[in-house]
Amino acid sequence: MALDKDNAGSAVKSNFREHSSLSGNASRPTVESAEEAVDVAAEFAGRSATQVGKMLDYSFRVMQETTKHTTQNLDVLMQCGTIVAEGWQTILREWISATQETTQKNMNDFQELMQCRSIDTLFSYQSNILRDRIESIQHSNARISEVSTQVANETAKRISEMTGSISFGSELVEQSQRNLRRAGVEMTRVDRAGD
């Protein structure tokens, strides 16, 4: 049964008429004033039912809007996770590439060391290998650092763009609070009128 003004009013009126017809001995003026009181009560019940209906309708709309915002926010968080994972993947690719280059150089240098015929040539070549390795490590660290910074900046930019679309619905929350306060005042008024 829907809560509306007509249903609430007609229920009160029919209930009163049923009781007043049973008491046929009542005087006519008393019945008329009682009918007026019933009409006023029916009007009041109708307004209250309308207010409750509006409050329930609004609560449903707020719930739908909140669900929509929550879904959007979760979508943005999922996309942020994907962006961060892509960034880590790029950094790991660069690190693996640097490791592969170093391994290849080590293999080539080992071949050269195996071909050395004197101790002086061996020590000379070892010095060159050590210097080359230090330069390679510095170069690969600089590249990884550069890629990491670039990925971090891109990731932060993309996340910032996406989080700008996150909506917390503060206006909706404030409006809900105002409506709940109004509903509370209305309910208090209904309770006082009933007393």
Side-chain angles (χ1 to χ4, degrees):
M1 180 176 174
L3 285 178
D4 62 8
K5 186 177 179 179
D6 295 333
N7 286 340
S10 64
V12 170
K13 285 179 184 179
S14 67
N15 195 12
F16 175 75
R17 286 192 184 107
E18 192 176 296
H19 288 315
S20 66
S21 66
L22 291 175
S23 61
N25 298 336
S27 66
R28 190 76 184 152
T30 306
V31 170
E32 287 175 2
S33 65
E35 281 183 354
E36 288 176 14
V38 167
D39 287 341
V40 169
E43 168 103 14
F44 185 73
R47 281 197 325 251
S48 296
T50 301
Q51 290 292 333
V52 169
K54 286 180 182 178
M55 188 176 71
L56 290 174
D57 181 53
Y58 182 75
S59 296
F60 181 71
R61 284 186 286 139
V62 167
M63 182 186 65
Q64 284 179 321
E65 194 68 25
T66 303
T67 302
K68 177 182 155 190
H69 288 296
T70 301
T71 303
Q72 289 172 345
N73 295 349
L74 287 175
D75 184 48
V76 167
L77 288 174
M78 293 296 290
Q79 290 176 15
C80 289
T82 302
I83 291 169
V84 170
E86 288 172 0
W88 276 108
Q89 189 176 23
T90 303
I91 292 168
L92 287 174
R93 261 189 253 126
E94 190 62 37
W95 183 77
I96 289 170
S97 172
T99 302
Q100 287 173 340
E101 287 176 19
T102 302
T103 302
Q104 186 60 43
K105 284 182 182 179
N106 285 342
M107 298 292 281
N108 293 340
D109 290 340
F110 183 71
Q111 290 292 330
E112 293 290 325
L113 284 173
M114 295 301 286
Q115 294 176 2
C116 288
R117 301 281 179 220
S118 71
I119 296 285
D120 290 336
T121 312
L122 179 71
F123 286 141
S124 171
Y125 200 69
Q126 271 186 327
S127 295
N128 290 341
I129 290 173
L130 182 60
R131 185 181 65 249
D132 185 49
R133 285 303 160 269
I134 291 172
E135 288 174 3
S136 290
I137 289 171
Q138 288 175 339
H139 178 69
S140 65
N141 284 345
R143 265 192 357 227
I144 290 172
S145 177
E146 187 178 301
V147 168
S148 297
T149 302
Q150 181 182 7
V151 166
N153 288 337
E154 282 180 30
T155 302
K157 180 182 174 191
R158 287 172 61 190
I159 288 174
S160 177
E161 289 170 357
M162 287 188 334
T163 55
S165 70
I166 290 180
S167 174
F168 294 104
S170 60
E171 292 174 19
L172 193 62
V173 169
E174 289 172 11
Q175 188 176 6
S176 297
Q177 289 173 342
R178 283 192 303 270
N179 285 343
L180 286 172
R181 278 189 223 106
R182 266 191 251 137
V185 168
E186 186 67 24
M187 292 299 186
T188 302
R189 193 171 63 83
V190 168
D191 284 345
R192 286 183 187 156
D195 291 341

